Amino acid sequence: MADIRYLLEFKAATGFKVVLEFGREDSFNVNRERVEEAGLEWKRLSNFNVNFDSADLFMDMRSPECASQFDLDDWL
């Protein structure tokens, strides 16, 4: 069975399409709520492939390096 992917796509305040991948549902939900509270459009993706799908920014938030470099407030 494939691993569950927690993929959050939203249109940032800058107009960019951002896709974030989380390792856990609770992390996904915390960030989704912040995006929602900012009044931005969002959706949960069932799948995403950086080679075939489009996003202005994709961050794998499962990686400590990516998570430390990304500040959601900059996009809200």
Side-chain angles (χ1 to χ4, degrees):
M1 183 160 94
D3 292 331
I4 296 174
R5 296 184 76 186
Y6 299 98
L7 296 160
L8 173 63
E9 177 186 285
F10 67 96
K11 187 172 182 182
T14 60
F16 288 102
K17 186 190 331 179
V18 177
V19 175
L20 306 175
E21 182 165 3
F22 300 94
R24 296 186 337 260
E25 186 174 14
D26 58 337
S27 299
F28 169 87
N29 285 330
V30 165
N31 286 275
R32 176 195 50 80
E33 289 171 4
R34 291 186 59 209
V35 169
E36 199 170 71
E37 288 169 0
L40 300 175
E41 296 176 26
W42 68 273
K43 63 181 172 180
R44 180 172 178 186
L45 302 176
S46 59
N47 200 6
F48 185 83
N49 184 311
V50 294
N51 294 318
F52 301 107
D53 297 317
S54 66
D56 296 304
L57 175 70
F58 172 79
M59 295 294 284
D60 186 345
M61 303 299 280
R62 300 170 299 172
S63 162
E65 292 83 15
C66 284
S68 69
Q69 294 176 21
F70 183 79
D71 185 357
L72 184 59
D73 291 329
D74 291 342
W75 300 91
L76 301 179

